[in-house]
Amino acid sequence: MTDASLITLISVGVTALFMLGVPVFLVIATWVVGCSAVLGLTLDNMGAELLNVFNKGFALLAMPLFILTGDLINKSGIARRLSDFAYACLGWLRGGLAMASLGACGLFAAISGSNSATTATIGSMLHPEMVKGGYDERFSAATAAAGGTVGIIIPPSIIFIVYGFLLNLPISDLFVAGILPGALMVIGMQLACWLVCQANGWGHLIQFQVNRALKTAFGAWLGFFAIGLVLWGIYTGKFSPTEAAGVTVGFCIIAGLVSWCVNKLLGLDMAKSWQEKSYPEMLVVEGFTIKDIPGITMRSAQITGVLAPLIAISVVMQQILSLLGAQVFITEFLTGLGGYYPVLFAAMAIVFISGMVLESLPVTIILAPILAPVAAGIGVDPIHFSVIFLVGASIGFITPPYGLNLYVASGVTGVAYFKLLRYTVPYLIALISVWVVVALVPDISLMMLPTR
């Protein structure tokens, strides 16, 4: 049997494993080991490559730290304060609570950098409130799933860190480039949400009150400070993304511990709603104790333990794909289309289709090193293409048959996966529209870069 036949057989086998639900890491690792044996690559080579990834991966240290940040702000109660503020600002509109949940997703993403954490946190907090507020439970769950898509676009983004590492691009520039596209995604989804709620009459309106908006904004000051700290430090160059992640984790730990101590010393009742609390009481959040930190850290470590090996083994996968000529084949196919826009839209189509069946991390580590050079060859700015690539990958979070955020939303809300699909359509239209605009207007991604 020829090498090509063996590799085809191995590829079919691991595809079957993937369809059966085997974890992506094991699927890719099985393919890498099998193809290495066929091509005559030793296991020593694979071990050396895996070690080399982490020896050069200082930037990857930001990934577990930002994951930990998301868990800390959720446990401390900062996330709830951000969602209260969003509702105070938007609750007077038809569909205001649903729009507020999308805004809260954007604010949460600006600290956590994770799509699934954003969906799980905001969905578990606001889905019951939306159902009580007169929204269809399926639409409410779909809204949480859609809102989570901005988790990998609005900085700090875990996937931007991986992309920058793989393509040797400055992660701080990638973070800044994601700010406006991420904001446009939130606004686009809020517009779609308003139209759907207007058509169905969903949502109980609340009167806009300046005092409510000011009080909830005051109560969310810790969240705003954390967001500002990250963006200010990276934008001004005061610290690298990895250092920013460490600083943010330290701030969130201090905020959580100090808040808990203040609550205990002053006997504050954190169970009271924002209306019942005085302004001094709004200064602190629920917080957590030192005993809670190991549990929070362990949860974050479990997520990192899934992502880090996948990144490492995928670098070896890239080496094998290069030896097999996959990069040359795709490059020749795309460049053969001729012209800037045909190549760009074909690359976008590849990302979109891949996102339908794979999570954003494997899509990024498999396709980004192949498509980015092609895009650069037709004149697309590397930073701009990174945003195009990852906005497309993020849409896959609510696109069947995979749609990771749909599974997460289903899990935290109890609404069946297939019942969500119909209600994701307006959000898909909005996100794809924003994606096309971002692709056609480079300044949306590049205008805020300090070097531009």
Side-chain angles (χ1 to χ4, degrees), residues 353-427:
I353 294 170
S354 300
M356 293 175 67
V357 294
L358 288 172
E359 205 262 345
S360 64
L361 185 59
V363 169
T364 300
I365 52 190
I366 293 170
L367 290 179
I370 297 175
L371 297 180
V374 177
I378 62 171
V380 183
D381 185 279
I383 301 295
H384 179 214
F385 184 74
S386 71
V387 176
I388 296 172
F389 186 100
L390 291 177
V391 170
S394 73
I395 296 174
F397 288 130
I398 57 168
T399 308
Y402 186 66
L404 176 61
N405 281 12
L406 297 176
Y407 285 105
V408 174
S410 176
V412 299
T413 64
V415 179
Y417 172 89
F418 289 102
K419 291 183 178 181
L420 302 179
L421 299 183
R422 169 188 169 190
Y423 295 92
T424 62
V425 173
Y427 294 123

Side-chain angles (χ1 to χ4, degrees), residues 91-286:
W92 59 278
L93 295 169
R94 175 64 66 187
L97 182 55
M99 294 168 67
S101 71
L102 294 169
C105 284
L107 293 172
F108 186 87
I111 312 176
S112 70
S114 169
N115 66 289
S116 55
T118 300
T119 295
T121 301
I122 303 303
S124 60
M125 286 194 305
L126 294 185
H127 178 262
E129 300 297 324
M130 290 177 65
V131 173
K132 286 191 293 185
Y135 295 84
D136 185 283
E137 66 170 2
R138 297 163 295 180
F139 175 76
S140 303
T143 299
T149 58
V150 300
I152 67 168
I153 304 300
I154 294 178
S157 163
I158 295 168
I159 301 299
F160 267 133
I161 295 171
V162 176
Y163 190 103
F165 170 76
L166 292 174
L167 275 298
N168 196 29
L169 293 172
I171 295 172
S172 56
D173 284 357
L174 297 179
F175 279 3
V176 173
I179 296 175
L180 288 182
L184 281 179
M185 290 171 67
V186 173
I187 294 170
M189 288 188 290
Q190 286 179 327
L191 177 59
C193 175
W194 179 79
L195 291 172
V196 171
C197 293
Q198 192 76 8
N200 291 278
W202 289 336
H204 298 159
L205 303 182
I206 64 171
Q207 183 179 0
F208 178 76
Q209 298 174 339
V210 175
N211 180 59
R212 178 174 186 165
L214 291 175
K215 192 172 184 179
T216 52
F218 183 79
W221 77 273
L222 289 170
F224 294 136
F225 187 87
I227 295 170
L229 183 65
V230 173
L231 297 182
W232 169 81
I234 293 174
Y235 191 82
T236 60
K238 297 296 183 182
F239 35 69
S240 69
T242 302
E243 292 166 340
V247 169
T248 308
V249 166
F251 169 76
C252 290
I253 290 176
I254 293 172
L257 293 176
V258 170
S259 290
W260 187 87
C261 291
V262 170
N263 292 333
K264 285 296 181 181
L265 288 173
L266 300 182
L268 302 180
D269 181 9
M270 286 292 106
K272 293 191 296 186
S273 65
W274 69 267
Q275 298 100 320
E276 300 171 309
K277 294 176 184 174
S278 64
Y279 272 92
E281 289 178 311
M282 294 290 281
L283 270 173
V284 293
V285 290
E286 287 82 349

Side-chain angles (χ1 to χ4, degrees), residues 14 16-31 306 310 313 358 362 402:
V14 298
L17 292 176
F18 174 75
M19 298 300 292
L20 291 173
V22 174
V24 175
F25 169 72
L26 293 179
V27 171
I28 294 179
T30 301
W31 187 86
V306 173
L310 183 56
I313 198 67
L358 288 172
Y402 186 66

Side-chain angles (χ1 to χ4, degrees), residues 59 228 250 318 345 349 392 439:
Q318 286 296 330
F345 286 121

